[in-house]
C-alpha cells in the first residue's frame, strides 16, 4: 500500500464514506457465502461517531477514509459470563478498503484499543468477515483469538428429510408441551460451563424459562422419546447478533442441545431437516445461527450444514494496566 495513513477519531464527517466501506466489505463476503441476503438492511453509524470509541484511517494523499474501527459503549460482564468490562465492534462497525486492508487495521487497532482501555474495558472483541483471512491473521498476531461465529443457510437448499432413529418422534412443541424443553436448557448451561468452553451462565428457573418462551414467541422443535425431549432447537424470528439475522424472512437458532447418549446418531440432523422443511413451507428463506467456536461439538455440527460468514475475535488485556490509563479517560485522538 502506498502513501501515509493518518489516524484520527471517528467523526460525523466520516459517516458516508464509512457506510460505503461497510457495503463493499459485505459484498466481498457475500461472494463467498451466497446464502447471505443481497444487501444489508439500512443501518446507522451515527452513534459510533458520538461515543468516542472509534478511530478512522485517512489517506494522507487523497484525504479519503480508507478504514475505520468503532466500538460499543463499554459494558459490564463481557460475553455475559465474565467479570470483565468489554467493548465490542459489531460486523458493521469496522471496515477497510480491500487494498492494504491488513496494514490499515494495523494502524487502527492500537489507537482503538487505547481508547477502549482508557474507558476501563479489558475485554476487546471485533466481528470480522469469515473469509477475510488476511485481517484475521493480523489480529491473531496481535493476541486476539477466535471465540464466536455466525453462520447461515438457505432453507430451500437441498437437505433431504431423514427419519430419526427408531423410537423417536420429531415435532414442534406447542402450549404446555414446551415445558419438555426445560431440562435440555439446563443441560446446555452445564455443558457450556465445562472444559474447554468454560462459559458459566445463570440458569433460569422453570417459571422464568416458560415465561421467557411465552413473551418472546420463540418456537421449540424437539425429538421426543415418550415424554422426554432428547434433542431440542429453539428458533426465533430474528434475534441474532448481526444485522443479517434480523432481515425479513430470516429465522435464527438461539439454542440447541442433544442428550449425550444420542450425539452422533443423526438425531439432531433429522430434527434440523424437519425445521428447514417447516420454515420453507412458511415462506422463511434463510436460517442463521451463532455459536462459540470454543465449543467443539457445536462448531463441528454447525459447520457441516451452515456457511460461516463472521468470525468474532477477542483479547483480554491485563486489568492492572487499566489502573494506569483510566485516570486519563477523556483523552481524545
Amino acid at each position: 500500500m502506498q502513501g501515509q495513513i493518518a489516524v484520527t477519531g471517528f467523526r460525523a464527517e466520516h459517516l458516508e464514506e464509512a457506510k460505503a466501506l461497510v457495503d463493499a466489505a459485505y459484498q466481498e463476503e457475500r461472494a463467498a457465502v451466497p446464502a447471505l441476503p443481497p444487501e444489508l438492511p439500512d443501518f446507522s453509524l451515527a452513534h459510533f461517531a458520538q461515543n468516542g470509541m472509534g478511530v478512522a484511517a485517512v489517506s494522507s494523499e487523497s484525504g479519503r477514509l480508507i478504514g475505520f474501527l468503532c466500538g460499543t459503549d463499554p459494558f459490564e460482564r463481557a460475553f455475559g459470563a465474565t467479570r470483565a468490562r468489554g467493548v465490542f465492534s459489531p460486523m458493521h462497525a469496522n471496515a477497510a478498503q480491500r487494498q492494504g486492508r491488513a496494514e490499515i487495521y494495523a494502524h487502527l487497532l492500537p489507537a482503538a484499543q487505547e481508547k477502549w482501555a482508557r474507558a476501563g474495558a479489558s475485554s476487546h472483541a471485533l466481528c470480522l468477515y469469515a473469509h477475510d483471512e488476511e485481517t484475521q491473521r493480523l489480529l491473531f498476531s496481535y493476541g486476539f483469538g477466535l471465540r464466536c461465529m455466525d453462520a447461515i443457510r438457505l432453507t430451500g437448499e437441498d437437505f433431504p428429510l431423514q427419519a430419526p432413529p427408531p423410537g423417536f418422534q420429531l415435532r414442534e412443541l406447542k402450549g404446555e408441551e414446551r415445558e419438555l424443553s426445560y431440562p435440555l436448557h439446563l443441560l446446555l448451561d452445564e455443558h457450556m460451563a465445562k472444559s474447554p468452553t468454560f462459559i458459566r451462565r445463570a440458569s433460569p428457573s422453570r417459571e422464568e424459562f416458560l415465561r421467557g418462551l411465552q413473551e418472546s414467541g420463540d418456537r421449540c422443535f424437539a425429538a421426543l422419546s415418550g415424554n422426554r425431549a432428547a434433542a431440542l432447537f429453539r428458533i426465533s424470528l430474528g434475534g441474532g447478533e448481526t444485522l443479517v439475522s434480523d432481515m425479513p424472512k430470516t429465522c435464527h437458532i438461539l439454542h440447541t442441545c442433544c442428550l449425550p447418549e444420542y450425539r452422533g446418531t443423526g438425531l439432531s440432523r433429522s430434527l434440523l431437516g424437519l425445521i428447514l422443511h417447516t420454515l420453507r413451507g412458511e415462506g422463511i428463506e434463510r436460517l442463521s445461527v451463532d455459536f462459540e467456536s470454543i465449543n467443539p461439538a457445536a462448531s463441528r455440527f454447525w459447520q457441516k450444514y451452515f456457511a460461516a460468514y463472521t468470525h468474532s475475535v477477542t483479547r483480554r488485556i491485563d486489568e492492572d494496566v487499566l489502573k494506569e490509563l483510566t485516570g486519563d479517560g477523556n483523552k481524545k485522538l
Side-chain angles (χ1 to χ4, degrees):
M1 180 176 176
Q2 298 179 352
Q4 297 298 312
I5 299 174
V7 177
T8 71
F10 185 76
R11 297 186 286 267
E13 66 198 63
H14 300 129
L15 291 174
E16 185 175 347
E17 289 180 299
K19 190 174 186 304
L21 289 174
V22 171
D23 289 335
Y26 176 78
Q27 291 303 326
E28 283 182 41
E29 186 63 20
R30 186 171 181 269
V33 184
L36 288 168
E39 305 286 344
L40 283 172
D42 189 36
F43 62 92
S44 173
L45 297 172
H47 176 72
F48 298 112
Q50 300 167 359
N51 73 351
M53 293 291 108
V55 294
V58 178
S59 168
S60 298
E61 293 182 351
S62 66
R64 290 189 306 105
L65 182 76
I66 57 176
F68 74 103
L69 171 54
C70 296
T72 60
D73 297 333
F75 55 92
E76 304 302 324
R77 294 186 58 79
F79 294 103
T82 71
R83 295 182 180 180
R85 172 179 284 190
V87 169
F88 175 58
S89 181
M91 182 182 80
H92 62 292
N94 67 88
Q97 68 178 26
R98 189 165 191 169
Q99 181 184 5
R101 180 173 290 155
E103 181 183 349
I104 295 169
Y105 271 90
H107 282 76
L108 291 169
L109 272 168
Q113 286 193 269
E114 182 175 356
K115 285 195 168 198
W116 301 348
R118 287 185 181 280
S122 60
S123 177
H124 301 173
L126 290 80
C127 184
L128 305 172
Y129 284 118
H131 293 83
D132 184 3
E133 296 178 359
E134 184 180 6
T135 302
Q136 290 180 61
R137 283 194 296 270
L138 172 77
L139 267 79
F140 292 160
S141 72
Y142 276 41
F144 286 78
L146 181 62
R147 179 179 172 119
C148 304
M149 303 170 72
D150 293 281
I152 197 165
R153 67 169 293 124
L154 296 173
T155 60
E157 288 177 340
D158 185 36
F159 199 98
L161 289 174
Q162 176 178 294
F168 288 95
Q169 291 184 338
L170 308 180
R171 67 172 184 266
E172 182 175 1
L173 302 181
K174 301 282 190 178
E176 295 181 356
E177 195 177 38
R178 292 186 297 176
E179 188 170 354
L180 297 176
S181 63
Y182 181 63
L184 281 180
H185 185 92
L186 296 182
L187 179 64
L188 178 60
D189 286 345
E190 288 301 315
H191 170 75
M192 296 295 286
K194 295 177 181 177
S195 180
T197 309
F198 294 122
I199 297 177
R200 168 55 72 188
R201 302 187 296 209
S203 299
S205 68
R206 186 182 299 271
E207 291 72 23
E208 290 170 336
F209 176 77
L210 293 175
R211 183 167 61 251
L213 273 179
Q214 179 68 29
E215 292 174 353
S216 67
D218 295 344
R219 302 166 69 177
C220 292
F221 292 81
L224 300 177
S225 176
N227 289 323
R228 184 177 73 152
L232 171 77
F233 283 67
R234 181 170 173 173
I235 310 291
S236 71
L237 188 62
E241 297 184 353
T242 74
L243 296 175
V244 169
S245 59
D246 288 327
M247 293 282 281
K249 299 184 179 180
T250 301
C251 278
H252 187 74
I253 299 171
L254 292 174
H255 305 293
T256 186
C257 189
C258 181
L259 293 176
E261 59 265 37
Y262 297 113
R263 292 170 189 166
T265 65
L267 187 61
S268 294
R269 188 247 181 247
S270 296
L271 188 54
L272 177 59
L274 171 67
I275 293 167
L276 290 169
H277 179 81
T278 301
L279 296 179
R280 182 169 64 248
E282 296 172 353
I284 299 297
E285 297 178 355
R286 294 175 179 83
L287 182 60
S288 62
V289 64
D290 59 76
F291 55 94
E292 280 77 21
S293 61
I294 52 178
N295 180 4
S299 185
R300 285 193 297 269
F301 179 81
W302 295 122
Q303 292 188 80
K304 282 183 184 178
Y305 306 118
F306 289 71
Y309 67 93
T310 77
H311 288 167
S312 287
V313 298
T314 182
R315 180 185 177 195
R316 180 82 171 263
I317 66 172
D318 185 352
E319 279 85 351
D320 286 341
V321 176
L322 300 183
K323 299 174 184 177
E324 304 170 12
L325 297 173
T326 52
D328 193 19
N330 293 322
K331 181 180 178 181
K332 301 288 186 181
L333 279 172

